[in-house]
PDB file of all heavy atoms in Angstrom:
ATOM      1  N   LEU A 129      70.655  97.750 164.029  1.00  0.00           N
ATOM      2  CA  LEU A 129      71.978  97.108 163.920  1.00  0.00           C
ATOM      3  C   LEU A 129      72.185  96.286 165.170  1.00  0.00           C
ATOM      4  O   LEU A 129      72.003  96.789 166.288  1.00  0.00           O
ATOM      5  CB  LEU A 129      73.093  98.170 163.800  1.00  0.00           C
ATOM      6  CG  LEU A 129      74.536  97.650 163.898  1.00  0.00           C
ATOM      7  CD1 LEU A 129      74.865  96.701 162.752  1.00  0.00           C
ATOM      8  CD2 LEU A 129      75.539  98.818 163.870  1.00  0.00           C
ATOM      9  N   ALA A 130      72.533  95.036 164.998  1.00  0.00           N
ATOM     10  CA  ALA A 130      72.776  94.185 166.167  1.00  0.00           C
ATOM     11  C   ALA A 130      73.770  93.084 165.810  1.00  0.00           C
ATOM     12  O   ALA A 130      73.749  92.539 164.701  1.00  0.00           O
ATOM     13  CB  ALA A 130      71.466  93.555 166.648  1.00  0.00           C
ATOM     14  N   ILE A 131      74.619  92.786 166.781  1.00  0.00           N
ATOM     15  CA  ILE A 131      75.580  91.683 166.663  1.00  0.00           C
ATOM     16  C   ILE A 131      75.329  90.738 167.833  1.00  0.00           C
ATOM     17  O   ILE A 131      75.185  91.194 168.977  1.00  0.00           O
ATOM     18  CB  ILE A 131      77.042  92.215 166.755  1.00  0.00           C
ATOM     19  CG1 ILE A 131      77.347  93.238 165.655  1.00  0.00           C
ATOM     20  CG2 ILE A 131      78.057  91.072 166.705  1.00  0.00           C
ATOM     21  CD1 ILE A 131      77.389  92.684 164.256  1.00  0.00           C
ATOM     22  N   GLY A 137      82.355  92.697 170.269  1.00  0.00           N
ATOM     23  CA  GLY A 137      83.723  93.064 170.646  1.00  0.00           C
ATOM     24  C   GLY A 137      84.788  92.471 169.741  1.00  0.00           C
ATOM     25  O   GLY A 137      85.967  92.544 170.039  1.00  0.00           O
ATOM     26  N   ASN A 138      84.380  91.893 168.616  1.00  0.00           N
ATOM     27  CA  ASN A 138      85.350  91.301 167.677  1.00  0.00           C
ATOM     28  C   ASN A 138      85.433  92.059 166.351  1.00  0.00           C
ATOM     29  O   ASN A 138      85.940  91.529 165.365  1.00  0.00           O
ATOM     30  CB  ASN A 138      84.969  89.839 167.395  1.00  0.00           C
ATOM     31  CG  ASN A 138      85.288  88.938 168.563  1.00  0.00           C
ATOM     32  OD1 ASN A 138      86.452  88.662 168.841  1.00  0.00           O
ATOM     33  ND2 ASN A 138      84.260  88.522 169.284  1.00  0.00           N
ATOM     34  N   GLY A 139      84.891  93.255 166.327  1.00  0.00           N
ATOM     35  CA  GLY A 139      85.012  94.080 165.118  1.00  0.00           C
ATOM     36  C   GLY A 139      83.898  93.894 164.098  1.00  0.00           C
ATOM     37  O   GLY A 139      83.910  94.551 163.052  1.00  0.00           O
ATOM     38  N   GLY A 141      80.646  94.678 164.302  1.00  0.00           N
ATOM     39  CA  GLY A 141      79.796  95.875 164.211  1.00  0.00           C
ATOM     40  C   GLY A 141      80.463  96.928 163.346  1.00  0.00           C
ATOM     41  O   GLY A 141      79.829  97.523 162.464  1.00  0.00           O
ATOM     42  N   THR A 142      81.751  97.142 163.560  1.00  0.00           N
ATOM     43  CA  THR A 142      82.503  98.123 162.765  1.00  0.00           C
ATOM     44  C   THR A 142      82.538  97.709 161.298  1.00  0.00           C
ATOM     45  O   THR A 142      82.353  98.529 160.401  1.00  0.00           O
ATOM     46  CB  THR A 142      83.958  98.239 163.307  1.00  0.00           C
ATOM     47  OG1 THR A 142      83.872  98.559 164.692  1.00  0.00           O
ATOM     48  CG2 THR A 142      84.729  99.312 162.583  1.00  0.00           C
ATOM     49  N   ASP A 172      74.187 104.031 174.905  1.00  0.00           N
ATOM     50  CA  ASP A 172      75.382 103.209 175.153  1.00  0.00           C
ATOM     51  C   ASP A 172      76.263 103.021 173.928  1.00  0.00           C
ATOM     52  O   ASP A 172      77.422 102.632 174.055  1.00  0.00           O
ATOM     53  CB  ASP A 172      74.969 101.793 175.597  1.00  0.00           C
ATOM     54  CG  ASP A 172      74.492 101.810 177.028  1.00  0.00           C
ATOM     55  OD1 ASP A 172      74.620 102.858 177.664  1.00  0.00           O
ATOM     56  OD2 ASP A 172      73.989 100.752 177.477  1.00  0.00           O
ATOM     57  N   SER A 175      79.581 106.007 171.461  1.00  0.00           N
ATOM     58  CA  SER A 175      81.040 105.992 171.210  1.00  0.00           C
ATOM     59  C   SER A 175      81.410 104.956 170.140  1.00  0.00           C
ATOM     60  O   SER A 175      82.375 105.139 169.399  1.00  0.00           O
ATOM     61  CB  SER A 175      81.823 105.753 172.498  1.00  0.00           C
ATOM     62  OG  SER A 175      81.496 104.507 173.029  1.00  0.00           O
ATOM     63  N   TYR A 177      79.626 104.386 167.417  1.00  0.00           N
ATOM     64  CA  TYR A 177      79.428 105.073 166.132  1.00  0.00           C
ATOM     65  C   TYR A 177      80.478 106.165 165.931  1.00  0.00           C
ATOM     66  O   TYR A 177      80.953 106.385 164.806  1.00  0.00           O
ATOM     67  CB  TYR A 177      78.019 105.665 166.056  1.00  0.00           C
ATOM     68  CG  TYR A 177      76.953 104.618 165.847  1.00  0.00           C
ATOM     69  CD1 TYR A 177      76.094 104.246 166.880  1.00  0.00           C
ATOM     70  CD2 TYR A 177      76.810 103.977 164.623  1.00  0.00           C
ATOM     71  CE1 TYR A 177      75.116 103.275 166.690  1.00  0.00           C
ATOM     72  CE2 TYR A 177      75.843 103.005 164.418  1.00  0.00           C
ATOM     73  CZ  TYR A 177      75.001 102.658 165.458  1.00  0.00           C
ATOM     74  OH  TYR A 177      74.044 101.691 165.253  1.00  0.00           O
ATOM     75  N   LYS A 179      83.513 106.154 166.742  1.00  0.00           N
ATOM     76  CA  LYS A 179      84.770 105.550 166.280  1.00  0.00           C
ATOM     77  C   LYS A 179      84.778 105.367 164.764  1.00  0.00           C
ATOM     78  O   LYS A 179      85.841 105.305 164.151  1.00  0.00           O
ATOM     79  CB  LYS A 179      85.008 104.204 166.962  1.00  0.00           C
ATOM     80  CG  LYS A 179      85.533 104.401 168.369  1.00  0.00           C
ATOM     81  CD  LYS A 179      85.779 103.113 169.111  1.00  0.00           C
ATOM     82  CE  LYS A 179      86.275 103.492 170.496  1.00  0.00           C
ATOM     83  NZ  LYS A 179      86.096 102.508 171.504  1.00  0.00           N
TER      84      LYS A 179
HETATM   85  C1  LIG B  10      76.768  98.057 169.391  1.00  0.00           C
HETATM   86  C2  LIG B  10      77.185  96.825 168.594  1.00  0.00           C
HETATM   87  C3  LIG B  10      76.465  96.781 167.233  1.00  0.00           C
HETATM   88  C4  LIG B  10      78.730  96.924 168.356  1.00  0.00           C
HETATM   89  O1  LIG B  10      79.153  95.803 167.630  1.00  0.00           O
HETATM   90  P1  LIG B  10      80.503  95.064 168.040  1.00  0.00           P
HETATM   91  O2  LIG B  10      80.814  94.066 166.983  1.00  0.00           O
HETATM   92  O3  LIG B  10      80.369  94.554 169.426  1.00  0.00           O
HETATM   93  O4  LIG B  10      81.536  96.286 168.011  1.00  0.00           O
HETATM   94  P2  LIG B  10      83.072  96.262 167.561  1.00  0.00           P
HETATM   95  O5  LIG B  10      83.729  95.013 168.036  1.00  0.00           O
HETATM   96  O6  LIG B  10      83.175  96.563 166.106  1.00  0.00           O
HETATM   97  O7  LIG B  10      83.605  97.488 168.421  1.00  0.00           O
HETATM   98  C5  LIG B  10      84.235  98.608 167.877  1.00  0.00           C
HETATM   99  C6  LIG B  10      84.613  99.541 168.978  1.00  0.00           C
HETATM  100  O8  LIG B  10      83.437 100.081 169.618  1.00  0.00           O
HETATM  101  C7  LIG B  10      83.449  99.760 170.987  1.00  0.00           C
HETATM  102  N1  LIG B  10      82.088  99.382 171.367  1.00  0.00           N
HETATM  103  C8  LIG B  10      81.389  98.335 170.952  1.00  0.00           C
HETATM  104  N2  LIG B  10      80.168  98.324 171.493  1.00  0.00           N
HETATM  105  C9  LIG B  10      80.118  99.397 172.273  1.00  0.00           C
HETATM  106  C10 LIG B  10      79.128  99.945 173.107  1.00  0.00           C
HETATM  107  N3  LIG B  10      77.931  99.375 173.239  1.00  0.00           N
HETATM  108  N4  LIG B  10      79.446 101.070 173.776  1.00  0.00           N
HETATM  109  C11 LIG B  10      80.654 101.648 173.660  1.00  0.00           C
HETATM  110  N5  LIG B  10      81.633 101.175 172.874  1.00  0.00           N
HETATM  111  C12 LIG B  10      81.356 100.066 172.189  1.00  0.00           C
HETATM  112  C13 LIG B  10      84.378  98.589 171.159  1.00  0.00           C
HETATM  113  O9  LIG B  10      84.931  98.561 172.460  1.00  0.00           O
HETATM  114  C14 LIG B  10      85.413  98.872 170.095  1.00  0.00           C
HETATM  115  O10 LIG B  10      86.365  99.798 170.559  1.00  0.00           O
HETATM  116  P3  LIG B  10      87.926  99.602 170.286  1.00  0.00           P
HETATM  117  O11 LIG B  10      88.083  99.611 168.793  1.00  0.00           O
HETATM  118  O12 LIG B  10      88.559 100.782 170.949  1.00  0.00           O
HETATM  119  O13 LIG B  10      88.253  98.289 170.890  1.00  0.00           O
HETATM  120  C15 LIG B  10      76.934  95.487 169.364  1.00  0.00           C
HETATM  121  O14 LIG B  10      77.654  95.528 170.577  1.00  0.00           O
HETATM  122  C16 LIG B  10      75.445  95.244 169.660  1.00  0.00           C
HETATM  123  O15 LIG B  10      74.754  94.666 168.832  1.00  0.00           O
HETATM  124  N6  LIG B  10      74.959  95.654 170.823  1.00  0.00           N
HETATM  125  C17 LIG B  10      73.572  95.416 171.220  1.00  0.00           C
HETATM  126  C18 LIG B  10      72.562  96.129 170.332  1.00  0.00           C
HETATM  127  C19 LIG B  10      72.894  97.592 170.078  1.00  0.00           C
HETATM  128  O16 LIG B  10      73.268  98.343 170.975  1.00  0.00           O
HETATM  129  N7  LIG B  10      72.760  98.006 168.795  1.00  0.00           N
HETATM  130  C20 LIG B  10      73.033  99.371 168.357  1.00  0.00           C
HETATM  131  C21 LIG B  10      71.729 100.015 168.203  1.00  0.00           C
HETATM  132  S1  LIG B  10      71.877 101.721 167.824  1.00  0.00           S
END
Side-chain angles (χ1 to χ4, degrees):
L129 171 63
I131 301 292
N138 286 289
T142 305
D172 285 353
S175 62
Y177 286 107
K179 282 179 181 157

